[in-house]
Every structure is written in C-alpha cells, then in structure tokens.
Amino acid sequence: MFGRSLYATFTVIALATAATACGGGQDSYASVVDKAKNDKKLVIGVKADQPGLGLRTPDGTFAGFDVEVAKYVAKQLGVEAKDITFKETVSANREAFLEQGQVDMVVATYSITDARKQKVSFAGPYFVAGQDLLVRADEAALTGPETLNGKKLCSVAGSTPAQKVKSEYAKEVQLQEERTYSACVDRVLGGQLDAITTDNVILAGYAAQHAGKLKVVGKPFSTEKYGIGLKKDDTNGRKAVNDALEKMFSDGSWTKALQASVGASGFALPQAPQLERY
C-alpha cells in the first residue's frame, strides 16, 4: 500500500514537472498583460549583436534602442527594468521563442509581415527602416542592389533581405548566409564577402562600430516596419503595448532613446511612425 502511494506521488510530481517544462511559462496566463500584473516580471527577446539597437555589453547587460523601447513598454505594463530578463534571440528563432513561451515579447528589429502575423501578434510599428547595403569603406563599385551581380552578399538565417536582392535586383548575386550579422561583418572586413544587406539603421550601427572601415551605401530600397512580437491572438497585450508605444512617442521618450542609441552613428533620425492597430 505504501509502495503504491509513494509511486502515485512520484507520478504526480513527474507529470507536473513535465507540464511545466512543456508550457515554458506562457501557457499559465492569457495575455502578457496578466503576466506583468501578476508576476511583476517579464522575459523579453532582444538581439545581442546589433550596435545601437540590441547589443550585449561586456558586463553581460543589454543596450540599444530596442532595449530602451522594451524597458519603457514593460514599465507601462507594471514591470521595472530590474525585473526584466533579456534573452538573446536571432532572426531564425523569434517566432519559435514566442510560440514555445521562452519569451513574453520580442523587441528585436522584428519586421511586421503578413506571413509572420500568421504565427505571432504585433504591436507597433515603433520604427520604420529601409533595406540598404553595408560595404567596405573603399568600395566604389557597389552603389546599390542592382550592382551586386557576381558579388558575394551576406545576410542571416531567418531573414529575407538577401533573397529580395536576388529576386528583384541582381539575379546573379551569390548569397551567403550566416547565423548573425556580426558574423557577416567579420567576413566583409576580412574580404571573403563583398556586402551585407539588411535594414539601414542596423547597418549604421556596424558602420559606426568600424568607423573608417565600413560604410552604408545610403540607397534604401524597401520599407521595414519594426513591431513588438507577442504570442498569437494576444489582443489585450497588443492593445496595451500599442498604448505604451503611443505614450512613448508623445512624451519625448522615443526621440530621446533613439538619439542616445543611434544618433552617434550619423544615421538621420526619423519622426515616430504611425501605429497600425489591428
């Protein structure tokens, strides 16, 4: 009798542990609003290798415009900066992290697209960028995407800019894929690749980090609307985050954060975008 009772106890514990592990933390609440209100903590996915936007500093903390946006939004939801856990995300795992509950939201130069809306919800946009090219500072021949035929172009897994160049501008470009943009930067600096393509504000950060060695071509050829990713169908969360962004735009915090994070790169600072509530 005692043996059966003990076995049953262990079975219950094992099942409970498995359920917790599978749930990943997000299944226990209906909205990020509830998580913030009840736990006073959030896990937010950010990039770790994008200067000016999302960068892991030597002391292990994160800095950049996306990080400042995340802190402001979390504060409006009732979570202090000290109670945020920032988790590194790369382009290829943003949807999975939200779906699996590994993060509560993603603020990681995350372009809003119809395809992504099938998997996650978006608030925003909180920034509008344009696709451009980053090349070596002494490069004179590469003046836009149409000049890339026969050249080696780098982008990252899970992102679509390089494929856009191949399909719309330079069919003979050689595409090279890396896990992160910083890996692309290393290969361009080393001469193995000719250019990197992604959003101009991201590239501006790398150009500033490697002043005199890299430059942004300065001929944007797309519109990229950065949104804050939430789990699918979190309507309350989307509304609350949009409200927070609207306040950030209007009280001057958005402009201040952008200037402090990206201004030093020489990037021309835009006006705050129009929110697209849906």
Side-chain angles (χ1 to χ4, degrees), residues 21-249:
C22 293
Q26 274 220 16
D27 292 342
S28 60
Y29 65 92
S31 169
V32 68
V33 176
D34 302 323
K35 170 77 180 291
K37 180 180 178 181
N38 295 333
D39 294 358
K40 299 297 183 183
K41 294 181 180 179
L42 288 173
V43 180
I44 301 179
V46 294
K47 291 293 181 71
D49 68 332
Q50 293 181 351
L53 294 164
L55 185 69
R56 193 196 307 271
T57 63
D59 65 3
T61 60
F62 289 83
F65 180 62
D66 282 355
V67 176
E68 293 307 309
V69 170
K71 289 178 180 177
Y72 188 97
V73 169
K75 174 76 170 177
Q76 298 305 306
L77 297 180
V79 177
E80 299 294 332
K82 65 180 179 60
D83 296 318
I84 300 171
T85 298
F86 286 108
K87 184 178 180 70
E88 178 183 356
T89 65
V90 296
S91 295
N93 64 21
R94 290 174 298 199
E95 286 89 16
F97 274 17
L98 285 166
E99 291 171 341
Q100 297 164 5
Q102 294 194 45
V103 297
D104 302 308
M105 66 174 73
V106 169
V107 191
T109 58
Y110 200 3
S111 293
I112 301 170
T113 67
D114 289 339
R116 287 170 176 166
K117 282 182 179 179
Q118 302 304 309
K119 297 182 177 181
V120 302
S121 290
F122 282 104
Y126 64 90
F127 189 85
V128 178
Q131 188 176 344
D132 210 323
L133 302 175
L134 185 72
V135 299
R136 287 181 289 276
D138 60 357
E139 175 61 69
L142 297 181
T143 57
E146 67 283 350
T147 64
L148 283 165
N149 279 311
K151 300 295 185 178
K152 295 178 180 178
L153 176 66
C154 193
S155 196
V156 303
S159 192
T160 57
Q163 189 58 52
K164 178 183 177 72
V165 170
K166 187 175 180 68
S167 61
E168 298 183 21
Y169 296 96
K171 296 188 184 304
E172 295 176 17
V173 68
Q174 300 175 46
L175 301 185
Q176 303 287 324
E177 197 172 75
E178 295 287 347
R179 183 175 180 270
T180 64
Y181 288 114
S182 56
C184 287
V185 167
D186 290 341
R187 298 195 69 192
V188 170
L189 286 170
Q192 296 94 359
L193 301 178
D194 299 301
I196 305 165
T197 187
T198 187
D199 305 338
N200 50 7
V201 67
I202 297 174
L203 298 178
Y206 290 121
Q209 190 179 47
H210 300 279
K213 296 181 180 180
L214 297 173
K215 67 179 180 181
V216 180
V217 168
K219 188 180 177 182
F221 49 96
S222 75
T223 299
E224 307 296 333
K225 299 177 180 180
Y226 293 170
I228 294 180
L230 303 166
K231 70 177 181 178
K232 188 75 170 72
D233 299 325
D234 184 0
T235 304
N236 289 339
R238 193 167 64 234
K239 179 183 183 304
V241 173
N242 274 326
D243 288 346
L245 290 174
E246 194 160 58
K247 183 176 179 182
M248 189 178 190
F249 296 165

Side-chain angles (χ1 to χ4, degrees), residues 50-54 63-69 201 205 208 254-265 269:
Q50 293 181 351
L53 294 164
F65 180 62
D66 282 355
V67 176
E68 293 307 309
V69 170
V201 67
W254 184 87
T255 301
K256 182 179 178 182
L258 189 62
Q259 177 64 53
S261 301
V262 182
S265 72
L269 303 183

